[in-house]
Amino acid sequence: RWVVLVPIYLKKSLPSEHDMFAKADAQFRSLMKTIEEYPKVCRLIEVESSSQADLAKVLGASAVNLERYQQALNEFLEGKRLIIPRFYFVGNNDLLEILGIKNVENMGSIQPHLKSLFQGIVRINVFNGHIVSFQSSVGEVVQLSDPVHVTERPEVWFAELVQIHKNSLSELLTKCMNSNSSDKLDTFPSQILDLSEAIAFSSIVE
């Protein structure tokens, strides 16, 4: 568990806890190095006596620190999930990877998680620092009604992406419902076509 926390805190994902974790991590590493050098218990006891170090106390403190930092991480991620409920669909490690996206160069990190975050979406396309479209598992591409600028705050641009994603589908549905074109099948994605047909059928029945 400690190994999992190290990259999170040392990358300053939780700035308020960074310095204290770095200090605790240094102490823990020092203890592990001592144990590695003196793997035999009897020799380790001699080292403890000569150095006046209370190894049991250090281990106890490390265990307490582990629980504390794990709790702080859980609270941090829960705060992000309250802002964007879709984040509940991914685990802690995956969410941390998403939150680590600070610019378009890192956008590849989010692609593997799209199936969990959006039903039917497997890829988002980026152009000039903006998310401009998304792609379904069958290759259909839907252009966003407004490009989404990728900033250093993933929870901000992701919330914008969720809203514009909804707006884009809504606008496509309206266009499809009002279209009398014979080439609808080539113009609109299948989800929009299915929904428009369902709405038309319901209107006729009523």
Side-chain angles (χ1 to χ4, degrees):
R1 289 170 62 190
W2 191 276
V3 173
V4 173
L5 293 175
V6 169
I8 297 168
Y9 279 95
L10 296 188
K11 285 182 180 179
K12 298 186 178 181
S13 296
L14 283 75
S16 61
E17 301 283 349
H18 172 264
D19 292 341
M20 293 188 67
F21 181 84
K23 182 178 179 180
D25 182 58
Q27 185 180 46
F28 182 74
R29 287 174 182 271
S30 176
L31 174 61
M32 292 298 101
K33 185 177 180 179
T34 300
I35 293 175
E36 181 183 21
E37 292 177 357
Y38 305 100
K40 295 183 178 180
V41 175
C42 294
R43 182 69 179 116
L44 192 61
I45 293 174
E46 292 177 6
V47 172
E48 180 182 23
S49 300
S50 61
S51 63
Q52 296 182 344
D54 190 338
L55 297 184
K57 186 176 181 181
V58 174
L59 282 172
S62 295
V64 171
N65 286 333
L66 175 61
E67 294 300 326
R68 172 190 171 183
Y69 294 123
Q70 183 67 57
Q71 181 63 29
L73 174 61
N74 291 339
E75 291 174 358
F76 170 76
L77 295 179
E78 180 65 17
K80 301 300 182 183
R81 289 181 170 120
L82 289 174
I83 297 173
I84 303 176
R86 285 178 187 262
F87 284 163
Y88 280 107
F89 298 148
V90 296
N92 286 355
N93 291 339
D94 292 340
L95 179 53
L96 284 166
E97 188 173 7
I98 293 170
L99 294 174
I101 299 173
K102 304 298 183 183
N103 51 59
V104 291
E105 283 74 20
N106 305 130
M107 286 303 294
S109 301
I110 198 175
Q111 305 289 5
H113 310 303
L114 289 173
K115 289 182 180 180
S116 300
L117 296 168
F118 295 96
Q119 186 175 7
I121 295 179
V122 297
R123 182 176 181 80
I124 53 179
N125 301 313
V126 179
F127 180 74
N128 284 344
H130 294 76
I131 300 173
V132 295
S133 64
F134 53 88
Q135 184 175 323
S136 74
S137 56
V138 296
E140 294 177 325
V141 177
V142 175
Q143 298 294 324
L144 294 177
S145 55
D146 294 297
V148 177
H149 179 55
V150 179
T151 67
E152 292 186 356
R153 297 184 60 193
E155 65 273 21
V156 174
W157 64 256
F158 193 89
E160 185 180 0
L161 174 62
V162 170
Q163 187 57 52
I164 293 180
H165 162 255
K166 294 177 182 178
N167 295 345
S168 301
L169 292 177
S170 178
E171 290 179 13
L172 279 175
L173 179 60
T174 301
K175 290 179 181 178
C176 186
M177 293 295 298
N178 294 330
S179 174
N180 295 317
S181 174
S182 59
D183 60 347
K184 279 187 177 182
L185 291 176
D186 298 323
T187 306
F188 299 98
S190 55
Q191 180 185 21
I192 296 301
L193 291 169
D194 289 344
L195 184 54
S196 65
E197 287 299 314
I199 294 173
F201 175 80
S202 298
S203 299
I204 294 171
V205 171
E206 290 179 353

